[in-house]
């Protein structure tokens, strides 16, 4: 090659952020971003939140402005997917038949919706949820109001979509395999908080329950039959049962794969000159010494930056405290921390769950390992500092709202 060429396989937040970081760090070689969708790279959080609710337009969804790529000499290949690569010859094969040479390759292929073998899932009115176009279509279906919606899945996406559907004036029933929604993520007490929030807005739950079949007439969904035999009338059925990392390209290369592509803290794979970032990467985190795969936007954002710097030979590590947020009805929640460290411990509460204004902390060996704020402002940097600093705290002071959080931090 006459000039260095970095190929980014994947047109999401991680890929776009990596391209932007490469240019901001002074890389002057070629950059090609291969996007499987016919969309320029976009943000996923608005798809189930403000865009779906009509509080933001389509211009709020792209990662970068349409003109940024041309202005910064970054080639976008839309509607193409990287299907194979040969690290020995430094070539990538696209599904169009095009072959690209690369000096370094970043795999940022994200994840795909998990599909369940559900009879009737091909009926009109049944959808999964992942893409910008999925959000457009669901918004169109929900915004008319007055419809019967069955949500299959009680994770974060399922709960956000249920909140949006209910906010449009639809009758929503949510199925999930857990006894309490979100309990695997945040425990039964806080999962119960979100269930009560939804029930106050009319959402009905069937827990634990699964969909056994979707029935319909004239090719359109009319009802969901649960595993207990209950028939739930439905005009719309949304299957949101999680995602699986899109490792097809990594498998074709022969990379080390275990719950995603295994990478070190600088996002290097088992093959030289090949990196991975975002939902598809199972990265070693220096804080825990364990590999973690995160599907949240902050991981994609930070991972794109770290991968770009590492590809340029800089000393960069993905060591940020994991973060995500959700907006449901009148509740805005932000979470920082390490779920694996928090697992098995009950949270301590600062504030009032009854008034929808509190912070939940998870501790291990008297140190905060995770924190979740609900409708609390100006606490984010303190929660993050408590976790990152491995600060040992007095629990009584931690839960006392009269004690400012910054007083729990070591001086200096």
């Amino acid at each position: 090659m006459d000039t260095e060429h970095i190929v980014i396989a994947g047109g999401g937040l991680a890929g776009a952020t990596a391209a932007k970081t490469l240019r901001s760090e002074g890389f002057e070689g070629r950059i090609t971003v291969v996007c499987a969708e016919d969309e320029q790279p976009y943000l996923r959080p608005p798809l189930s939140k403000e865009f779906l609710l009509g509080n933001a337009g389509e211009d709020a969804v792209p990662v970068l402005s349409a003109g940024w790529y041309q202005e910064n000499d970054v080639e976008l290949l839309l509607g193409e997917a990287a299907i194979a690569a040969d690290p020995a010859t430094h070539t990538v094969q696209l599904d169009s038949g095009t072959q690209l040479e690369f000096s370094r390759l970043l795999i940022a292929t994200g994840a795909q919706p998990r599909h369940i073998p559900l009879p009737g899932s091909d009926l009109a009115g049944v959808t999964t949820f992942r893409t910008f176009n999925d959000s457009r279509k669901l918004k169109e279906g929900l915004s008319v109001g007055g419809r019967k919606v069955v949500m299959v899945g009680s994770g974060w996406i399922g709960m956000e979509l249920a909140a949006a559907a209910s906010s449009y004036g639809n009758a929503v029933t949510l199925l999930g395999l857990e006894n309490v929604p979100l309990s695997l993520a945040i425990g039964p007490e806080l999962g119960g908080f979100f269930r009560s929030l939804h029930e106050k807005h009319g959402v009905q739950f069937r827990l634990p329950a699964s969909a056994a079949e979707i029935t319909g007439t004239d090719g359109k969904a009319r009802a969901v039959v649960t595993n207990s035999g209950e028939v739930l009338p439905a005009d719309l059925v949304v299957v949101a049962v999680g995602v699986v990392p899109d490792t097809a390209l990594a498998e074709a290369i022969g990379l080390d794969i275990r719950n995603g592509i295994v990478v070190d803290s600088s996002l290097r794979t088992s093959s030289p000159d090949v990196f991975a970032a975002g939902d598809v990467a199972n990265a070693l985190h220096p804080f825990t010494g364990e590999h973690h795969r995160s599907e949240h936007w902050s991981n994609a954002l930070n991972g794109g930056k770290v991968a770009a710097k590492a590809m340029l030979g800089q000393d960069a590590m993905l060591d940020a405290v994991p973060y995500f947020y959700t907006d449901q009805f009148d509740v805005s929640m932000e979470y920082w921390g390490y779920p694996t460290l928090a697992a098995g411990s009950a949270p301590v509460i600062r504030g009032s769950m009854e008034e929808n204004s509190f912070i939940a902390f998870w501790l291990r060996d008297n140190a905060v390992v995770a924190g979740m704020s609900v409708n609390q402002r100006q606490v984010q940097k303190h929660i993050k500092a408590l976790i990152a600093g491995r600060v040992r705290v007095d629990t009584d002071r931690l839960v006392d709202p009269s004690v400012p959080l910054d007083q729990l931090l070591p001086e200096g």
Side-chain angles (χ1 to χ4, degrees):
M1 287 179 289
D2 295 331
T3 184
E4 288 191 288
H5 184 197
I6 293 179
V7 173
I8 300 171
L13 176 58
T17 300
K20 182 180 180 181
T21 304
L22 287 168
R23 287 295 186 237
S24 67
E25 292 294 316
F27 179 68
E28 297 179 351
R30 289 180 61 198
I31 301 174
T32 301
V33 182
V34 182
C35 309
E37 294 181 54
D38 287 320
E39 306 269 6
Q40 70 177 69
Y42 58 83
L43 301 165
R44 295 196 186 278
L47 303 186
S48 58
K49 301 179 180 72
E50 53 266 39
F51 174 75
L52 182 60
L53 283 165
N55 297 327
E58 295 207 359
D59 59 345
V61 177
V63 178
L64 301 166
S65 67
W68 183 89
Y69 301 95
Q70 184 174 359
E71 292 166 4
N72 290 273
D73 194 23
V74 172
E75 181 182 21
L76 277 183
L77 298 181
L78 301 181
E80 297 211 50
I83 59 173
D86 185 350
T89 60
H90 283 72
T91 56
V92 175
Q93 186 78 28
L94 307 186
D95 57 1
S96 63
T98 300
Q99 183 171 281
L100 303 175
E101 292 185 348
F102 68 86
S103 50
R104 286 171 298 284
L105 170 66
L106 172 62
I107 302 177
T109 45
Q112 297 294 326
R114 178 177 283 111
H115 292 277
I116 54 178
L118 190 61
S121 58
D122 58 344
L123 291 168
V126 181
T127 183
T128 55
F129 188 88
R130 179 67 179 173
T131 69
F132 197 174
N133 205 39
D134 290 339
S135 186
R136 290 185 183 108
K137 291 180 179 179
L138 188 58
K139 180 181 178 182
E140 181 180 356
L142 295 177
S143 61
V144 297
R147 310 189 77 180
K148 297 180 180 66
V149 180
V150 174
M151 187 69 55
V152 181
S154 58
W156 290 114
I157 295 298
M159 294 288 278
E160 289 180 355
L161 298 183
S166 178
S167 297
Y168 275 121
N170 300 288
V172 183
T173 304
L174 188 147
L175 311 180
L177 297 178
E178 303 171 274
N179 290 307
V180 179
L182 304 173
S183 58
L184 288 177
I186 54 176
E189 181 179 8
L190 293 168
F193 165 81
F194 279 98
R195 174 172 181 162
S196 295
L197 171 70
H198 278 247
E199 289 177 331
K200 289 175 183 176
H201 287 84
V203 177
Q204 297 187 28
F205 288 84
R206 300 291 190 274
L207 301 171
S210 61
E213 181 183 6
I214 302 171
T215 61
T217 57
D218 301 323
K220 188 175 187 319
R222 301 297 181 189
V224 174
V225 183
T226 73
N227 59 330
S228 67
E230 183 179 7
V231 179
L232 302 172
D235 302 307
L236 285 172
V237 181
V238 184
V239 181
V241 291
V243 297
V244 292
D246 187 350
T247 58
L249 176 59
E251 291 170 14
I253 298 173
L255 299 181
D256 186 5
I257 296 172
R258 185 175 66 252
N259 183 28
I261 304 170
V262 178
V263 293
D264 65 14
S265 58
S266 296
L267 306 185
R268 301 180 185 89
T269 73
S270 54
S271 179
D273 297 327
V274 181
F275 297 72
D279 295 6
V280 77
N282 188 3
L284 178 66
H285 200 292
F287 188 96
T288 65
E290 301 173 343
H291 281 82
H292 300 269
R293 190 179 69 80
S294 172
E295 297 163 5
H296 299 298
W297 73 271
S298 65
N299 175 65
L301 179 70
N302 292 319
K305 294 177 181 178
V306 169
K309 293 177 180 179
M311 285 190 291
L312 297 179
Q314 299 180 22
D315 185 15
M317 290 195 304
L318 185 59
D319 56 2
V321 176
Y323 166 85
F324 71 93
Y325 76 100
T326 187
D327 294 321
Q328 300 176 33
F329 299 112
D330 56 348
V331 162
S332 178
M333 183 278 276
E334 296 181 272
Y335 180 105
W336 294 261
Y338 303 92
T340 57
L341 298 182
S345 63
V348 297
I349 307 299
R350 175 189 178 104
S352 172
M353 293 179 66
E354 292 73 21
E355 296 177 6
N356 291 359
S357 180
F358 64 93
I359 308 172
F361 292 101
W362 288 262
L363 293 89
R364 190 167 192 172
D365 298 328
N366 294 322
V368 177
V369 294
M372 186 183 94
S373 70
V374 171
N375 292 343
Q376 294 266 337
R377 303 298 179 190
Q378 299 180 333
V379 299
Q380 292 80 3
K381 68 176 182 179
H382 301 314
I383 296 173
K384 184 177 177 181
L386 285 169
I387 298 168
R390 304 176 187 258
V391 178
R392 293 183 177 273
V393 295
D394 180 313
T395 304
D396 290 337
R397 299 186 72 214
L398 180 67
V399 300
D400 185 349
S402 69
V403 178
L405 286 177
D406 58 0
Q407 289 189 12
L408 301 174
L409 296 168
E411 295 183 6

